C-alpha cells in the first residue's frame, strides 16, 4: 500500500503507523541516492500543485482556522515560495558542505584522501502547528527541509485543521508521485497517540515540531529517552520582548503605538513571534497610546476553542496580579474568540514574579512594562526566557550600550525596526532561539533549516567512481566546495 | 579568584564548581564580543605553550597512560596542530556562515534587511577521555572547538591521568592569560560527582564528551532532562566493521592481515576507531593469517586496571559463546594489561545474537566473521549499531553493489583503503556516526566541530554600526559570505 493511496483512503482503510513508517524506510533507499535535480523537481512539483489548488485550499483553510482569506492567500504563497527557494538551494548545492582534502603525508597524523559531505538522516516525523495551516503544516518548512535533504516525511497533522491537512496531503503525495518520487516518501497520520508512537518509532530518525511548550517538551523527552535518541527540533514558545528607548518614544510614540497594535493583534495574536512584552520609559503614557491605537476591537474567532480558553485564562491570571492594569479591552473573553487586550505594569512587578508575568499568553494581548532607566529595563529583560525574537526601537545614532548584547543572548532574531510578526523566508532568516523558544540550536525557517536532517559522512581513499557526484574530483555538478581548505565557487572567475 | 590560579592551587584551595562556572559566565561577556584575531591568538598561544612543554608533558603522560613516548609525541603534535588549524579557520571566517539578505519588497512576505551569522552559545563543559591524554583531553578537540567559537571552557579532567590534566590545565590557563584572554575563560574540575553537577549547572550551555557508552548515556540523559535542555555532543562507542571482499583476500591476504593486526593492536587497542569486527569470505583462512601476523604478543599495560578488567571480561564473554573460536592469544589476561586476541566466528552466529557478539570490546582484540556471500555479510553488518567508521577492502574496479550504501548508513567515515585507527585532523574529517557511536549529528574532530558550540542569530534592519564586523556591508574582515543567495569569497577574482 502506498502512502499516496493511504491519504485518500477512508479511516477504515488507513494504513497503520507501522505501514507508513515501513513505506518511508523503503522510500529512503531511493531518496538517499536521489540526485539534487530530482529533489529539486519534487519540491517544485509540490509547490506547483499547491498553487494550482489554491482556490480549493484557501476556503477550506479559512473554514477550519478562521484566519481569513487574505492572510491565508499570503501564507500559501509564502509556503510555495519556500518550497521553490529550497528547490533552488538544493541545486546550488552548498548546503551539503562538500569538502575535499587531498592526501598530505606531511601532517600529523598523515592525511589520507578525505571527502566529506552531508547525507540524509532517514525518515523524518513532522508535527504541524495549528496557527499556520499552510506554512508550518503538512507542506510547511519542516516538510520542505526534509524532502530537500533527501529524507522521507511522515506528517502528524494538526487536529485544528484535519480536512485541510488530509486534502493537502493528497495533493502533496500526488505531486510527488507524478514527479517520480518513490512510494512512501510522504505519509500523513493523525491523532495524539499516533504522534507519540511516531516519535518512538524505530524507523524515525529525526523530528520537526512546532507547537506548545508543554506538548513539545513531552515529545522532546520521548525522543531523548529512546533506546537510540534522535534529534528533536522543536519550536515551542516565545514572549518576544521589545525595548523602546526614551528617545524613540519622544520622537515617534504614535507610530510605534500603532505599529505595536497592528503586530500584536495580527491573526488574533496567534503568532509565535507575537510581541508579548514591551518595555517603555515610565511616565511616557505609551500604554494608553497603544490602547488608543487598538480602539474598540471586535472579538475574532480563534483557531480552536481550547486556544481561546487558554488565552482567557492567561489574561485572567495576569490581570489578577497586583500591579498589573488592564488599559484596553477586557480580560473576560467570549468563548471561542479573542479580542485585543493591553495590560501594563512596571519592571519591579515583573522582577518580583517573572515566571507569572513573562509566560507566553498566546493571543491578541501585550504587556507594556514601564522602566526607570535602560539598566532597569535590561534587568527585567534578562528574566525573559529564550525567545524567537527581541526588538529594540531606538533613534538613529543613539548609543545602545548593553542593549544589543542582552537581546542577542536572549533571541535568535534581533530587530532594530518594525515588529517581529511576519517571518520572511530567505537564506539569512533565523527562526529559533534559546530554550524555551526552541529545543535546538538550529532554525526552522530559511534555507539552513535543511541542515537539521543531514549528517556528515567522510569518505576516505575512495575510488572516484564510488563517490557521490558532489565529491568526485571533477566536481561534475559544479557546486561550491572547500578544497584543501580553500572555498571554491565554480562559475566565479576564481575557479 | 581566577581559574588560572585555581588550577595551580592545592586541593584545599580549589574553587568550587559554582566559582568556576561563575568565572566562565563572566568571561563569556568578553569572549562573545572577542574578535576572530583575538580567538586565533588564544588558540595559537595554547599550542605554542604545549609544544614548549613537550619535554615535561610527554613523560608525565606516559607515566599515567603507559602509551609510550613515540605515540604520545605524535599525539601532542596532533593536538597542537589542531589548535593551529582552528586558529586559521577562525580567521578564514566561513565557519560563521555569514549571510546577508538585502531588503526585497517583492517577496512573500516582504523581506527586510536580514543578516545572519553563528554566535557562541556560552560556557561549554568538556569531558576528557582516558585514551587520548592530549588529543581528547584538557586541550583537545572539544576545548579547541569551544575556544574557537568564543565559548569559555570548563574541562572535567579524566581520573586516568590527573597529574597530566592538572599540569596541562595550568599551561593552558597561563597561555590564555598571557595572550590576553579573560579570567575564567578556562577552568578545570575533577571528580565524578562534580562532572554530574557540571552537566546540570545552569551556566553551562553545551557539553562535549568522549568516553564510554554507559557514562555518556547517563550524562546525555542529564543534559536532556534539565529544566532547560542543552546540547550534549557525546562520542561513545563503536565497533567499526570491516568488510573484505573475496577478490581482495585472493589478491593480498597477507597485506590485509598484517594491516589489520597493526591496527587492532595499536595503543593496546584502546582506540574508539579500533576495527572490532572483520567480515571475510568463509574458508579464506584469513583469521589464521591475522593470528600469524600478530604472533606472540606480549602483555601491554592498559590505561587503567578497570579498562583491562573490562577487556578481559568482554573477551571471556565472547569466547564462551557457542560458535566463537579463539585463534590467537588467550582470553585470560594478566591484571592491568592487554595482549592481542583474535577470535573467529560466522555470520550465522553473529545474526543469532548480535547484541552479545557486536558489543564494543575495548582493547587489543578483533572478531573475524566468515561470510558465505556479500549479501550474507551485509545482513550481519546491518546488525552492527551505528559506528564511527566502516571499511571496505575491495579490488580496483570491483562492483560494490549495496556495500557502499550499507556502510554509509552505518557510519560517519567510510574507508576504502587502510584502517580506521589514526584520525587525521582536517577540514574534511568526520568523527561521529549514528547512535550509539555518537549522541549527535556533528563531528568531534576537524574544523566543523566548531559548529557545535554556535547558534545562529539574524539581525533585522540593523544599523551598520550596530552589527558585528562580520556582517557589516563593507565586509571589513573579508570573510566568505552569502549575499542575496550568492556565495562570495573575497580575494577571489570574482569578488
Amino acid at each position: 500500500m502506498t502512502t499516496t493511496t493511504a491519504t485518500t483512503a477512508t479511516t477504515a482503510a488507513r494504513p497503520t503507523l507501522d505501514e507508513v513508517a515501513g513505506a518511508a524506510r523503503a522510500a529512503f533507499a531511493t531518496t538517499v541516492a536521489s540526485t539534487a535535480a530530482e529533489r529539486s523537481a519534487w519540491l517544485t512539483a509540490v509547490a506547483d500543485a499547491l498553487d494550482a489548488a489554491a482556490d480549493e485550499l484557501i476556503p477550506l483553510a479559512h473554514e477550519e482556522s478562521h484566519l481569513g482569506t487574505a492572510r491565508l492567500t499570503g501564507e500559501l504563497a509564502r509556503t510555495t515560495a519556500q518550497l521553490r527557494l529550497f528547490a533552488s538551494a538544493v541545486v546550488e548545492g552548498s548546503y551539503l558542505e562538500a569538502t575535499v582534502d587531498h592526501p598530505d603525508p606531511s601532517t600529523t597524523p598523515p592525511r589520507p584522501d578525505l571527502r566529506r559531505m552531508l547525507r540524509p538522516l532517514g525518515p523524518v516525523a513532522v508535527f504541524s502547528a495549528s496557527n499556520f495551516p499552510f506554512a508550518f503544516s503538512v507542506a510547511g518548512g519542516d516538510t520542505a527541509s526534509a524532502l530537500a535533504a533527501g529524507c522521507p516525511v511522515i506528517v502528524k497533522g494538526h487536529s485544528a485543521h484535519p480536512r485541510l491537512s488530509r486534502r493537502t496531503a493528497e495533493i502533496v503525495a500526488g505531486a510527488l508521485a507524478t514527479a517520480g518520487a518513490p512510494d512512501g516518501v510522504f505519509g500523513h497520520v493523525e491523532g495524539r497517540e499516533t504522534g507519540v508512537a511516531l516519535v518512538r518509532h524505530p524507523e524515525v530518525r529525526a523530528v520537526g515540531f512546532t507547537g506548545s511548550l508543554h506538548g513539545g517538551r513531552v515529545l522532546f523527552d520521548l525522543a531523548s529517552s529512546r533506546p537510540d535518541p534522535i534529534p528533536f527540533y522543536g519550536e515551542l514558545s516565545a514572549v518576544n520582548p521589545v525595548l523602546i528607548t526614551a528617545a524613540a518614544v519622544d520622537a515617534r510614540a504614535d507610530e510605534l503605538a500603532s505599529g505595536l497594535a497592528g503586530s500584536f493583534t495580527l491573526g488574533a495574536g496567534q503568532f509565535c513571534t507575537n510581541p508579548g512584552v514591551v518595555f517603555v520609559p515610565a511616565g511616557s503614557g505609551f500604554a494608553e497610546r497603544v490602547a488608543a491605537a487598538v480602539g474598540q476591537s471586535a472579538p475574532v474567532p480563534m483557531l480552536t476553542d481550547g486556544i481561546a480558553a487558554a488565552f482567557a485564562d492567561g489574561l485572567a491570571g495576569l490581570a489578577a496580579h497586583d500591579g498589573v492594569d488592564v488599559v484596553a479591552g477586557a480580560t473576560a473573553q467570549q468563548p471561542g474568540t479573542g479580542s485585543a487586550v493591553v495590560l501594563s505594569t512596571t519592571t519591579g512587578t515583573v522582577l518580583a514574579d517573572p515566571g507569572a508575568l513573562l509566560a507566553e499568553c498566546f493571543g491578541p494581548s501585550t504587556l507594556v512594562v514601564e522602566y526607570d532607566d535602560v539598566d532597569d529595563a535590561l534587568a527585567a529583560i534578562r528574566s525573559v526566557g529564550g525567545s524567537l525574537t527581541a526588538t529594540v526601537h531606538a533613534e538613529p545614532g543613539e548609543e545602545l550600550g548593553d542593549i544589543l548584547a542582552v537581546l542577542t543572548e536572549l533571541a535568535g532574531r534581533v530587530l532594530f525596526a518594525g515588529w517581529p510578526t511576519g517571518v520572511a523566508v530567505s537564506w539569512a532568516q533565523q527562526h529559533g532561539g534559546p530554550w524555551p523558544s526552541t529545543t535546538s540550536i538550529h532554525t526552522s525557517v530559511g534555507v539552513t533549516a535543511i541542515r537539521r536532517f543531514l549528517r556528515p559522512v567522510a569518505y576516505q581513499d575512495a575510488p572516484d567512481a564510488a563517490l557521490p557526484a558532489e565529491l568526485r574530483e571533477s566536481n561534475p555538478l559544479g557546486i561550491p566546495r572547500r578544497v584543501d581548505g580553500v572555498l571554491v565557487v565554480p562559475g566565479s572567475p576564481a575557479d
Side-chain angles (χ1 to χ4, degrees), chain A residues 410-431:
Chain A
L410 185 82
R413 180 162 54 106
V414 180
L415 295 86
F416 294 77
W419 301 91
T421 44
V423 180
V425 177
S426 76
W427 282 88
Q429 187 56 278
Q430 159 61 15
H431 192 64

Side-chain angles (χ1 to χ4, degrees), chain A residues 7 46 50 75 79 83 126-129 132-144 147 153-158 161-173 176 186-190:
Chain A
T7 54
V46 171
L50 292 173
E75 189 186 325
T79 304
L83 287 158
V126 171
F127 285 73
S128 59
F132 279 88
F134 292 119
F136 290 83
S137 189
V138 173
D142 286 341
T143 296
L147 291 174
V153 176
I154 304 169
V155 173
K156 189 270 181 187
H158 199 283
H161 48 268
R163 288 183 295 133
L164 176 68
S165 295
R166 285 176 210 139
R167 186 64 190 121
T168 307
E170 283 177 341
I171 292 167
V172 170
L176 288 168
F186 177 84
H188 174 237
V189 299
E190 297 180 4

Side-chain angles (χ1 to χ4, degrees), chain A residues 10-398:
Chain A
T10 62
T11 303
R14 303 199 92 203
T16 65
L17 175 60
D18 277 344
E19 288 167 338
V20 174
R25 167 55 53 182
F28 184 59
T30 301
T31 62
V32 72
S34 63
T35 66
E38 287 168 340
R39 293 194 299 282
S40 181
W42 301 344
L43 291 161
T44 303
V46 171
D48 290 347
L50 292 173
D51 278 340
D55 288 348
E56 175 192 359
L57 294 176
I58 289 167
L60 188 51
H62 176 64
E63 270 181 51
E64 293 189 311
S65 72
H66 324 296
L67 287 172
T69 299
R71 143 75 193 268
L72 290 164
T73 301
E75 189 186 325
L76 180 57
R78 167 227 170 100
T79 304
T80 58
Q82 177 161 265
L83 287 158
R84 291 193 183 93
L85 175 64
F86 283 26
S88 71
V90 165
V91 172
E92 193 264 352
S94 59
Y95 76 104
L96 293 171
E97 301 180 4
T99 307
V100 175
D101 285 337
H102 292 105
D104 182 351
S106 74
T107 63
T108 304
R111 190 170 82 192
D113 186 278
L114 280 170
R115 291 163 193 253
R116 173 193 194 267
M117 66 179 285
L118 303 185
R119 304 281 301 160
L121 279 178
V124 168
V126 171
F127 285 73
S128 59
S130 62
N131 60 336
F132 279 88
F134 292 119
F136 290 83
S137 189
V138 173
D142 286 341
T143 296
S145 298
L147 291 174
C151 296
V153 176
I154 304 169
V155 173
K156 189 270 181 187
H158 199 283
S159 58
H161 48 268
R163 288 183 295 133
L164 176 68
S165 295
R166 285 176 210 139
R167 186 64 190 121
T168 307
E170 283 177 341
I171 292 167
V172 170
L176 288 168
T178 303
D183 273 357
V185 71
F186 177 84
H188 174 237
V189 299
E190 297 180 4
R192 186 177 297 243
E193 286 182 21
T194 304
V196 166
L198 184 61
V199 172
R200 287 177 160 156
H201 201 284
E203 297 293 9
V204 170
R205 304 315 315 156
V207 182
F209 172 92
T210 307
S212 72
L213 176 56
H214 174 74
R217 178 78 209 219
V218 167
L219 295 179
F220 170 81
D221 288 345
L222 285 176
S224 305
S225 62
R226 286 168 55 123
D228 56 336
I230 58 174
F232 183 91
Y233 303 103
E235 192 259 273
L236 310 184
S237 170
V239 174
N240 304 299
V242 177
L243 172 62
I244 302 179
T245 67
V249 166
D250 285 349
R252 47 193 171 100
D254 286 334
E255 174 198 328
L256 290 167
S258 83
L260 172 60
S263 182
F264 88 82
T265 61
L266 191 70
Q270 298 165 117
F271 286 96
C272 41
T273 52
N274 211 37
V277 56
V278 182
F279 294 85
V280 302
S284 62
F286 188 75
E288 290 71 25
R289 286 177 196 259
V290 178
V294 168
Q296 285 298 100
S297 86
V300 176
M302 295 189 76
L303 290 160
T304 69
D305 290 349
I307 286 172
F311 176 57
D313 283 352
L315 287 175
L318 281 172
H321 206 287
D322 279 349
V324 175
D325 295 321
V326 178
V327 294
T331 57
Q333 299 274 321
Q334 295 177 25
T337 72
S339 62
V341 176
V342 179
L343 304 111
S344 75
T345 189
T346 63
T347 51
T349 304
V350 165
L351 283 168
D353 192 3
L357 286 160
L358 298 175
E360 186 183 30
C361 184
F362 193 74
S365 75
T366 197
L367 176 64
V368 177
V369 182
E370 297 206 337
Y371 65 79
D372 291 328
D373 57 35
V374 165
D375 286 344
D376 175 43
L378 291 181
I381 287 178
R382 281 195 178 92
S383 67
V384 176
S387 239
L388 294 168
T389 74
T391 302
V392 55
H393 285 291
E395 286 304 282
E398 193 177 349

